[in-house]
Amino acid sequence: MHVIGSTWVDRPVAHAWIVAYLVVLFALPAPWSTVIIDTARDFVEAERWLQQGMPLRGPMIGNLFHLGPWWYLLTAGGFALTGSIAATLTLEALLAAMKFPLAYVCGCVIYSSRLGVCWAIALAVPGMASMTQLVITHTAIIEFAILGWILTALLLCKGHRGAWWLAFGAMASLSAHAHPTTLVFAPAACFIVALRRKRTDLPWIIAGVLVFVLTFAPVLIAESREHWPSLQALSSHGQSIHWAGSLGRIAAVYLGALAAGPQFVSLSLLAGWSGLIGLTYLALACTVLVGAGWAWRNQSLRPVLIVAAATCMVFVLLIATLRQITPYYMLLASKPFGTLAMAVAFVALVERAHRSRMLATLVLLAILLLHGLVSMSWIYQAESGSARLPVATISDMAQSPQRLEAVSMMPVWRLESLAARSCGRKIVLHASMAQLVMLAAELPMQTECEARPEVIYGGAAQDAEHLLGLTPYELRLIGYSEANWQQALELAPISTQGSSWRLSWSRHYPYIMIPREGQREFHYEQVTSANNLLVVSTPFGIVDGSEVDSVEVDQGVATLVSKTRASSIYRCRGCAGKARWTVRARAADPRQIDIVEIRPGPNLLIQ
């Protein structure tokens, strides 16, 4: 164990292999990531860039204001190069994964290569930030951008040439375009100026500011043409913030920042080993606390520990007061600082006696293993088509991560395969697949096909190919024990009812044009064979709020077999011959509810 504890922590060759491992495993699940409306937005706008020229506006933040269009440029470049959504997302994931080598370099600049490798490993601790592997959009590069900003700041603090102010301005802009919460760190520039006290820096500082401002020039031009609508929205938002009330959330947000990640991993991503994963995180926490105690006694490490921990805590405090909800990505900019404090604790242990070094080594190796397991788990869950996610916590870190919801998902490369086999055809999508294609804004149908397929949602449309639309996970629950995506794309329902829906798409985000107001209650009647199953879906419910209130059956009991955010599957227990179903649901339009009859698989247990 002495060999393990002393060689790989100190050898640059080992460091290179570790960093490469972290990068590859982080980016590996990208082809299995899921396309949501924000991801689709990136590609829709990127395609417009390629066909119509540069847009002036970038992604919208909180329905308040737009960033610059540079993320769309990056997406457009990747798509022009590869011609594939999955390949482009993989390139973007690789860019986000560059946070690991940046953390290593920053650690070397601050203290030593030991701190560098420990920081890179600490940055890989799975948690809520692991969501950036599932949903790849501009927020996925927050940590990379912050670390690039930190590196330029460190080089300036170390007395390097004033020209580094140009890079400082560029990385500040990249951070702001990843997410504007990162601008909380902008005042650090004043500290650097005070520390350097070089008059020759002034031209370079001005140049760096210009670099930052010019990256926002396109959106500023667009704003000026439209009489600054974002300023009005921001003003109204500022007046609506209840600062005193927001302070009551701080404790919950802090608790979420500390505990939501471990619970997310142990209860959702690696639920099969929840007890062991929980013990691993407990060992990690205890090791960090012990190491922090020793780091406090080290005159060289103490300032780094204080700055890192304090910056992380102050950032969370400020962000918790900005909005009444705090999505996970709004705290991502704090992770480089929190993990730096962890890395300092590891280094303090590595530099002490043999037993302390052994403890730190074992925990670091456990993190490397967890990093790989979580990446494999994302791939496995995407291939199954379902994951149990803490949806409430993803949207607000103050919420408990113990409330899990079954969420349907489809790997982006599988989505492209569905599009490729549907080119020039008329297809009707039901159940989970209808929701997944809708949330992707039918994007693969545009990118994969010269003759775009006619996509219809639900109902009993004639002269069309009906796809049952259940994921492999759902199919296994109803008796198709060997189900995979190929089978999922081939199965059709036995019977359908109602009118089908061809969605209208707007040119503007969020693109989907579905009625959301004036919801009414609808009753649906369906007669099926007693041995068959009923699938009731609200594929647009995530957008329009349509919802199923009840499902009943005459002369039997309606038993729930499977439920996701898109669809529910029922069987009739105690029915003979025919089952007469009654479904009550609320929607603005009856077509927002889809009901089909399906045949169970051969391995469905009859109870």
Side-chain angles (χ1 to χ4, degrees):
M1 185 57 69
H2 175 73
V3 173
I4 294 176
S6 60
T7 46
W8 72 265
V9 174
D10 296 317
R11 288 190 175 180
V13 173
H15 296 176
W17 281 107
I18 289 170
V19 171
Y21 165 85
L22 295 173
V23 168
V24 171
L25 266 294
F26 181 87
L28 188 62
W32 286 267
S33 62
T34 192
V35 177
I36 63 171
I37 198 66
D38 284 359
T39 322
R41 170 206 62 199
D42 298 341
F43 283 89
V44 169
E45 299 300 334
E47 189 174 25
R48 286 181 187 167
W49 182 308
L50 293 172
Q51 294 178 358
Q52 303 173 18
M54 173 179 159
L56 296 179
R57 297 181 183 275
M60 176 173 274
I61 301 297
N63 291 321
L64 296 172
F65 60 92
H66 290 266
L67 299 173
W70 309 112
W71 178 255
Y72 297 158
L73 172 62
L74 179 68
T75 304
F79 189 71
L81 181 66
T82 64
S84 163
I85 300 172
T88 303
L89 291 177
T90 302
L91 292 178
E92 293 176 349
L94 283 170
L95 176 64
M98 290 300 105
K99 63 185 179 179
F100 298 113
L102 273 178
Y104 177 77
V105 173
C106 287
C108 293
V109 173
I110 293 172
Y111 185 72
S112 69
S113 60
R114 279 181 175 176
L115 180 61
V117 72
C118 288
W119 194 356
I121 295 174
L123 200 62
V125 173
M128 295 306 298
S130 301
M131 282 297 300
T132 58
Q133 294 177 279
L134 176 66
V135 178
I136 302 172
T137 184
H138 59 96
T139 54
I141 65 167
I142 289 176
E143 294 164 81
F144 161 74
I146 286 291
L147 283 159
W149 201 3
I150 290 173
L151 179 59
T152 59
L154 288 171
L155 294 174
L156 287 168
C157 289
K158 292 283 185 178
H160 286 253
R161 295 174 54 195
W164 278 101
W165 282 109
L166 289 172
F168 185 89
M171 294 312 300
S173 173
L174 180 62
S175 299
H177 281 87
H179 200 274
T181 49
T182 58
L183 291 178
V184 168
F185 303 117
C190 299
F191 170 78
I192 299 172
V193 170
L195 182 67
R196 285 173 65 88
R197 295 183 180 178
K198 291 184 178 182
R199 293 183 179 178
T200 55
D201 276 1
L202 183 58
W204 293 113
I205 293 173
I206 294 173
V209 171
L210 284 174
V211 167
F212 178 85
V213 172
L214 286 174
T215 59
F216 287 92
V219 72
L220 292 175
I221 292 171
E223 284 288 309
S224 66
R225 290 176 178 175
E226 300 172 16
H227 307 291
W228 307 97
S230 294
L231 286 181
Q232 300 171 27
L234 286 169
S235 176
S236 300
H237 176 70
Q239 294 173 11
S240 68
I241 294 177
H242 303 290
W243 299 99
S246 296
L247 292 176
R249 291 174 37 83
I250 291 175
V253 174
Y254 270 120
L255 181 61
L258 289 171
Q263 292 185 47
F264 172 43
V265 175
S266 60
L267 298 177
S268 178
L269 296 182
L270 300 174
W273 302 295
S274 57
L276 181 60
I277 300 303
L279 288 174
T280 301
Y281 276 102
L282 179 61
L284 170 61
C286 293
T287 303
V288 168
L289 288 174
V290 172
W294 287 114
W296 188 263
R297 302 182 185 186
N298 186 311
Q299 296 298 317
S300 299
L301 293 176
R302 184 193 299 174
V304 183
L305 178 67
I306 292 173
V307 170
T311 302
C312 181
M313 294 177 67
V314 171
F315 178 85
V316 174
L317 171 66
L318 292 173
I319 296 304
T321 63
L322 281 176
R323 294 174 58 184
Q324 297 303 312
I325 59 170
T326 307
Y328 79 95
Y329 54 79
M330 290 187 72
L331 297 184
L332 287 178
S334 67
K335 191 177 179 184
F337 298 95
T339 53
L340 174 58
M342 292 172 57
V344 168
F346 289 134
V347 171
L349 291 173
V350 168
E351 292 185 347
R352 285 194 54 75
H354 173 62
R355 291 182 179 178
S356 298
R357 185 185 304 119
M358 182 188 302
L359 173 63
T361 300
L362 289 174
V363 172
L364 289 168
L365 290 174
I367 294 172
L368 291 172
L369 179 60
L370 272 180
H371 179 63
L373 288 175
V374 165
S375 294
M376 293 299 105
S377 173
W378 277 133
I379 294 173
Y380 172 79
Q381 294 192 64
E383 276 298 299
S384 74
S386 179
R388 292 181 58 78
L389 300 178
V391 175
T393 310
I394 291 169
S395 301
D396 184 5
M397 290 294 290
Q399 302 299 316
S400 170
Q402 296 184 0
R403 297 196 299 270
L404 302 177
E405 293 185 45
V407 177
S408 299
M409 53 200 301
M410 188 175 189
V412 60
W413 76 272
R414 295 284 190 186
L415 204 55
E416 289 183 307
S417 298
L418 167 63
R421 70 182 290 277
S422 305
C423 291
R425 297 159 67 183
K426 183 178 178 182
I427 60 171
V428 182
L429 300 175
H430 298 277
S432 297
M433 208 171 293
Q435 184 184 83
L436 294 167
V437 172
M438 178 270 296
L439 287 177
E442 299 179 9
L443 180 68
M445 281 62 179
Q446 302 176 41
T447 60
E448 293 294 315
C449 300
E450 292 185 8
R452 181 172 175 172
E454 182 180 355
V455 180
I456 303 171
Y457 295 86
Q462 302 297 315
D463 302 322
E465 177 187 3
H466 286 256
L467 296 182
L468 175 56
L470 296 178
T471 65
Y473 172 79
E474 292 171 303
L475 290 175
R476 290 168 197 157
L477 289 178
I478 63 172
Y480 296 91
S481 57
E482 302 297 325
N484 53 34
W485 278 108
Q486 181 176 352
Q487 188 173 19
L489 295 176
E490 293 174 351
L491 288 174
I494 295 175
S495 67
T496 59
Q497 69 158 281
S499 301
S500 298
W501 198 337
R502 294 168 178 83
L503 285 185
S504 298
W505 297 95
S506 166
R507 282 184 53 82
H508 304 289
Y509 176 84
Y511 310 118
I512 302 167
M513 297 177 66
I514 298 175
R516 309 180 190 190
E517 305 297 332
Q519 285 199 350
R520 297 170 291 160
E521 184 174 289
F522 295 98
H523 290 199
Y524 304 84
E525 304 289 339
Q526 178 88 347
V527 178
T528 70
S529 167
N531 294 325
N532 289 339
L533 307 176
L534 192 74
V535 182
V536 183
S537 304
T538 54
F540 313 118
I542 196 171
V543 175
D544 60 26
S546 55
E547 187 176 9
V548 175
D549 290 327
S550 66
V551 176
E552 299 173 350
V553 64
D554 288 348
Q555 301 178 349
V557 178
T559 304
L560 186 65
V561 178
S562 169
K563 180 177 177 60
T564 69
R565 300 190 88 196
S567 58
S568 299
I569 305 174
Y570 293 88
R571 62 181 301 177
C572 180
R573 182 181 295 176
C575 290
K578 296 291 184 179
R580 300 182 181 275
W581 300 86
T582 301
V583 178
R584 293 178 176 85
R586 283 176 289 110
D589 188 297
R591 294 173 298 176
Q592 290 166 296
I593 310 298
D594 184 38
I595 301 173
V596 301
E597 176 186 2
I598 63 172
R599 183 177 292 107
N603 299 312
L604 179 65
L605 296 177
I606 305 296
Q607 298 179 352

